[in-house]
Amino acid sequence: MEDGELRTIGDSQTAKNTVAPIDLAKQLETRFGELLSEPAEFRNEITIKVSDAERIPEVCDFAKKDLGFDYLTDISSLDNYGDDPRFTLVYHLYGYGHHCHLRLKTDVSEEKSEAPTVTGIWRTADWHEREIYDMMGIRFRGHPDLRRILMWEGYPYFPLRKDFPLAGRPSDLPEVAFTAPAPMAGGPFVTIAGGKDTISREPRVRIPDTDSLGMNARVERRKDIQQSHGRAHGPGPVESRQPNG
Amino acid sequence: MQTRTEIGYNSKVEGDVVVTRLDAAINWFRKNSLWPMPMGLACCAIELMAAGASRFDIARFGAEVMRFSPRQSDVMIVAGTVTYKMALAVKRIYDQMAEPKWVIAMGACASTGGMYRSYAVLQGVDNILPVDVYVAGCPPRPEALLDALIKLQSQVATEPVLSTWKTVS
């Protein structure tokens, strides 16, 4: 079946004017040339890499005004920990007129940790960019109100970065909020930035990287337990429960 | 003809006098009129609402008066995931409740953090509040909450009242 047929069901308007996503991508390429990578197509969705993050608003503006991508579905961010540039921003675009998806990717280095805002193009970018700032620590230049959105103002970390432990880190902001590391008990879903992935470290249980939390003694104790029992499992350490605020 | 026998207090037999200890009487008043502070924070709050509705009817235990003002509440039912962002707000509302006051930690999250072993979630509301009854479940059935309420009632019934006043004065 043609991909175009799928999109036209129950929509007489687009039945007449079917637009293939790849055609839109080619228009982008004609306009911006070397700035864009070769479009990659997967399941009728196009992904294009933009080599310069500074020109993202320009590309987005063209995509919206000339190519009809009137809806910004989401902006997401990746932490390619250990690589340079460290971060990748992903803009998910959609057009209600032609029902096409387009994905724009661009890299942001850790030293810079900044990209221009696209709130001037889609107002909905406001909260998406705030979430990325809150979780990943990438600032958006020109954003009208760049505050944290999930965590509170004054929280000192960016928790979705790969080098941030899942258990969290202790913090205390009097009268506002405090945090304490959660007891992970050697759970199988704990990962370390730069460590082995779950496939290469079967069995999946591993000792959490607790050094950063000042718990070396506990790691040593767990090693002893493992040696004496010959297994990696075991009851996890119980965190002391201290009211902290 | 059907004959009807009066069950319970029989005024013909007992007259106008009931003999009891004041502690027991005060506790009896208290335990049958526990006004909850519904601290609904996640899906447990839906079960809390079910417990308050007609099928489960928490009114049978005198706890139907859900008060959204802590000044008028006796028992805080922490129903749901307590995030660190919410934790001090929960604490503040508890502090605003007048004595005597009790706390029910409803569900896995409120009791221990539940499945959220995470940087964002308080690992049990007992880190910041004195919890009287923990309810297991994710979320617990309304019957489980009613059971917790009954257990709390039996705890309230045995608490010393006047003896603690004496030690103060």
Side-chain angles (χ1 to χ4, degrees):
Chain A
M1 188 188 280
E2 287 283 319
D3 289 319
E5 286 177 47
L6 271 176
R7 288 197 306 280
T8 56
I9 291 167
D11 192 339
S12 59
Q13 185 64 39
T14 49
K16 283 178 233 161
N17 318 309
T18 26
V19 182
I22 192 72
D23 295 336
L24 297 168
K26 279 183 182 138
Q27 287 187 54
L28 262 183
E29 263 203 310
T30 318
R31 170 74 177 73
F32 291 101
E34 287 298 297
L35 182 67
L36 307 181
S37 74
E38 195 62 32
E41 186 166 3
F42 179 72
R43 291 188 176 166
N44 214 29
E45 294 179 13
I46 303 288
T47 305
I48 298 176
K49 193 89 178 253
V50 181
S51 60
D52 183 8
E54 291 301 314
R55 296 187 64 187
I56 274 284
E58 202 183 318
V59 178
C60 287
D61 195 55
F62 181 77
K64 185 188 179 188
K65 287 178 184 150
D66 294 285
L67 303 182
F69 285 102
D70 48 4
Y71 179 49
L72 177 67
T73 315
D74 197 5
I75 311 174
S76 49
S77 59
L78 282 75
D79 183 359
N80 313 299
Y81 184 78
D83 292 351
D84 189 39
R86 178 171 175 178
F87 303 113
T88 305
L89 289 172
V90 190
Y91 295 77
H92 306 260
L93 278 50
Y94 181 75
Y96 275 109
H98 47 58
H99 304 291
C100 290
H101 290 274
L102 177 68
R103 212 175 280 114
L104 298 173
K105 288 188 176 185
T106 190
D107 289 335
V108 177
S109 71
E110 187 175 5
E111 303 80 62
K112 199 171 184 198
S113 291
E114 192 176 88
T117 181
V118 294
T119 46
I121 298 153
W122 297 282
R123 281 184 63 203
T124 191
D126 187 327
W127 280 19
H128 295 323
E129 291 181 350
R130 277 180 66 187
E131 189 182 2
I132 291 172
Y133 165 67
D134 189 3
M135 294 285 118
M136 202 65 93
I138 302 170
R139 295 177 307 279
F140 289 89
R141 198 175 344 100
H143 190 285
D145 183 28
L146 195 63
R147 287 175 294 133
R148 284 185 180 267
I149 192 167
L150 296 169
M151 307 304 278
W152 48 95
E153 283 299 308
Y155 181 69
Y157 307 110
F158 300 113
L160 248 50
R161 289 188 173 184
K162 292 286 183 192
D163 52 356
F164 183 86
L166 179 61
R169 291 210 162 106
S171 72
D172 192 9
L173 196 62
E175 304 293 313
V176 179
F178 68 95
T179 54
M184 303 309 289
F189 308 112
V190 186
T191 54
I192 305 177
K196 291 178 181 171
D197 60 20
T198 46
I199 295 164
S200 54
R201 59 178 168 82
E202 290 286 357
R204 298 187 174 186
V205 174
R206 57 157 217 79
I207 302 156
D209 174 25
T210 45
D211 289 11
S212 55
L213 308 173
M215 288 187 276
N216 288 315
R218 181 182 300 150
V219 173
E220 290 307 313
R221 200 177 72 226
R222 289 185 65 83
K223 278 180 190 159
D224 292 343
I225 292 168
Q226 281 174 26
Q227 279 159 9
S228 59
H229 295 289
R231 65 196 175 107
H233 291 271
V238 178
E239 296 286 336
S240 59
R241 295 194 156 178
Q242 291 290 330
N244 191 12
Chain B
M1 278 291 286
Q2 215 176 3
T3 56
R4 295 178 63 201
T5 312
E6 195 178 344
I7 299 169
Y9 175 68
N10 187 335
S11 60
K12 290 196 185 90
V13 174
E14 309 212 7
D16 297 331
V17 181
V18 176
V19 181
T20 181
R21 289 182 298 118
L22 191 52
D23 266 19
I26 290 171
N27 283 335
W28 185 75
F29 304 148
R30 283 181 177 172
K31 80 176 182 125
N32 289 302
S33 175
L34 287 168
W35 290 15
M37 167 75 226
M39 198 72 228
L41 300 172
C43 34
C44 277
I46 304 295
E47 299 299 303
L48 173 60
M49 285 181 247
S54 56
R55 179 180 288 265
F56 299 99
D57 192 10
I58 204 169
R60 292 176 293 156
F61 309 97
E64 76 277 19
V65 191
M66 301 278 172
R67 286 284 127 163
F68 292 88
S69 163
R71 309 288 184 201
Q72 302 172 354
S73 308
D74 301 307
V75 50
M76 175 184 268
I77 301 176
V78 184
T81 317
V82 186
T83 59
Y84 283 119
K85 198 173 183 177
M86 193 66 190
L88 292 192
V90 175
K91 175 98 164 65
R92 169 176 286 196
I93 291 167
Y94 174 80
D95 289 343
Q96 288 172 342
M97 288 165 61
E99 294 279 1
K101 54 189 171 184
W102 298 273
V103 176
I104 296 175
M106 182 183 177
C109 291
S111 300
T112 69
M115 64 177 182
Y116 299 104
R117 292 281 176 270
S118 154
Y119 65 91
V121 175
L122 182 68
Q123 300 296 304
V125 76
D126 55 2
N127 282 291
I128 51 172
L129 305 181
V131 175
D132 296 287
V133 186
Y134 298 86
V135 190
C138 184
R141 296 272 314 167
E143 296 96 317
L145 180 65
L146 296 179
D147 183 54
L149 187 67
I150 293 165
K151 283 193 167 65
L152 182 64
Q153 285 181 328
S154 61
Q155 179 193 317
V156 171
T158 58
E159 279 179 6
V161 181
L162 293 180
S163 57
T164 54
W165 292 356
K166 259 180 209 164
T167 54
V168 171
S169 62

